[in-house]
Amino acid sequence: MIWQRLLTRLRPAAETLPDPAPEPVEALAARLDAAAQARLGRSLALRHVPTGGCNACELELAALTGVVYDLQRLGLRFVTDPAEADVLVATGPLTRAMHHALESCLATMGEPRWVVAVGDCAVDGGVFKGSYAVEGGIGGTVPVDLLIRGCPPAPAQILSGLMALLAVNASARPVRRRRA
Amino acid sequence: MAVDVPSRAQILRGVMAELERLANHLGTLAGLGGGYNGGRLGYHREQLCRAAHIAFGHRLMMDCIVPGGLAADMAATGPAALAAALDALAAEWPSLPDPPPPALSASAAIAWAAGGPVARALGLPGDARHQPGYPPYAGQPTGAGRHAEAAASLAMLRGWLASLPGGPVNTVLPTTAGEGLAVAEGPRGPVWHWMRLDGGLIAAAFAADPSWRHWAWFEQEAAGRDVADIPPLLRWFGNGVSGADL
């Protein structure tokens, strides 16, 4: 390979490196860990499950990805694969048809994970409360970590709730792990 | 049931309906457009929602229209806020693209009784604003297809807001019993409502979202297509996911 020949010609013969001293390595690893938590930890992948809302919450969630709110700049992003997701975002009163989809989405997500109910419907059924077609909120099916009320909540409200999760995630120990 | 909705309420209902349609079409076109233009369309959608919040107290104007008129009159700061958002959009509108429609089957659309901008973009007739028609749309061109309809909504809104009639915005409803069917043209198509009243109270009601029929049409159109074509087709249809469940 020509690049290998180039490299050997350009670089002087490398000296054998001594083993690194153990103490500085530990100290550096600790510092890197803290820095990584502060930077890389401030990133969450969101999986949206529309559990039968009227589409108002969905519209406001979609607005978060636009140029005005631009949630990517905060380290938040929507993903399609639940196995990639840290946060399950549900909107809607949970229609019976979506019960299984919600459960299986959460089951696919690795720990640690959060569940966010966006909008009054996902919180307790909202205007659909008492309907034979809905379960009246997602709380009876999956454990909910964060409630964002509103009919629908404004994008800024949703964003401030998600930023609270970011803060929790950034300070969490140990470093996040994913299920393969 | 004879109810004379005051003319100011009729026009403001039109304002809200067209604001909703315009915001929704901008959102859908933003998803289809992507890149810079998608960003601009999304930006204008947000400005319209903020103006609607100032004018009517709710970004999506939910619960602002009630039987007999409006829940409340427009805020005094509303006309200026709406005019600012609409003027900014109108100034940029010529440079915003009209995405080309995918190849869809008109016969399938007819078979599923499809309506709304997706069916009209195929050249199919039918817009509840004119057939059967309801105020304040008489004599107002409404366009066909999302891009043309958004432009028509923009023109209607600016026209109405420039000459808003005064007067009350609601009227007292009679206490009555009976059954009725009504249709309104929503951003996705005709929304049908059936209702039975008993002693002035709602005894039973059913609202049919156009997505209920459009999902069946979508399924037929999606069959046999490349998987990569499905996401843009989904965005083009813009179906609501809940219309079929509730």
Side-chain angles (χ1 to χ4, degrees), chain B residues 109-203:
Chain B
I110 294 165
W112 290 110
V118 183
R120 287 194 289 273
L122 288 175
L124 296 174
D127 187 323
R129 290 175 288 177
H130 293 306
Q131 290 174 316
Y134 51 91
Y137 292 104
Q140 299 275 4
T142 45
R146 279 198 189 90
H147 193 265
E149 286 177 37
S153 296
L154 190 54
M156 275 188 272
L157 281 165
R158 297 177 91 196
W160 284 331
L161 288 167
S163 56
L164 267 181
V169 293
N170 49 41
T171 186
V172 180
L173 292 173
T175 304
T176 183
E179 204 170 299
L181 191 66
V183 62
E185 187 72 23
R188 295 191 179 107
V191 184
W192 289 88
H193 299 84
W194 168 85
M195 190 180 284
R196 189 162 69 224
L197 291 174
D198 194 4
L201 296 173
I202 297 171

Side-chain angles (χ1 to χ4, degrees), chain B:
Chain B
M1 190 162 86
V3 178
D4 284 323
V5 176
S7 61
R8 180 175 173 82
Q10 286 185 354
I11 299 282
L12 285 177
R13 281 177 170 189
V15 167
M16 288 191 219
E18 295 313 310
L19 271 177
E20 182 189 35
R21 191 180 326 278
L22 188 51
N24 268 275
H25 284 1
L26 292 182
T28 311
L29 292 168
L32 286 163
Y36 173 76
N37 290 317
R40 293 308 299 166
L41 289 158
Y43 166 82
H44 285 294
R45 186 253 171 202
E46 177 65 23
Q47 301 310 313
L48 286 177
C49 289
R50 288 180 183 184
H53 186 258
I54 292 169
F56 301 108
H58 194 284
R59 285 167 56 89
L60 307 180
M61 296 160 289
M62 287 159 76
D63 298 332
C64 294
I65 295 179
V66 295
L70 308 180
D73 202 348
M74 181 160 55
T77 47
L82 289 174
L86 293 169
D87 290 349
L89 175 59
E92 207 172 331
W93 185 253
S95 67
L96 296 172
D98 181 2
L104 298 176
S105 147
S107 61
I110 294 165
W112 290 110
V118 183
R120 287 194 289 273
L122 288 175
L124 296 174
D127 187 323
R129 290 175 288 177
H130 293 306
Q131 290 174 316
Y134 51 91
Y137 292 104
Q140 299 275 4
T142 45
R146 279 198 189 90
H147 193 265
E149 286 177 37
S153 296
L154 190 54
M156 275 188 272
L157 281 165
R158 297 177 91 196
W160 284 331
L161 288 167
S163 56
L164 267 181
V169 293
N170 49 41
T171 186
V172 180
L173 292 173
T175 304
T176 183
E179 204 170 299
L181 191 66
V183 62
E185 187 72 23
R188 295 191 179 107
V191 184
W192 289 88
H193 299 84
W194 168 85
M195 190 180 284
R196 189 162 69 224
L197 291 174
D198 194 4
L201 296 173
I202 297 171
F206 185 79
D209 189 279
S211 305
W212 191 71
R213 299 185 305 281
H214 289 183
W215 275 120
W217 178 25
F218 171 81
E219 205 171 284
Q220 192 173 336
E221 293 289 356
R225 278 182 205 251
D226 195 281
V227 174
D229 292 342
I230 302 300
L233 194 66
L234 266 175
R235 283 198 284 274
W236 179 263
F237 270 78
N239 291 342
V241 282
S242 54
D245 280 359
L246 288 170

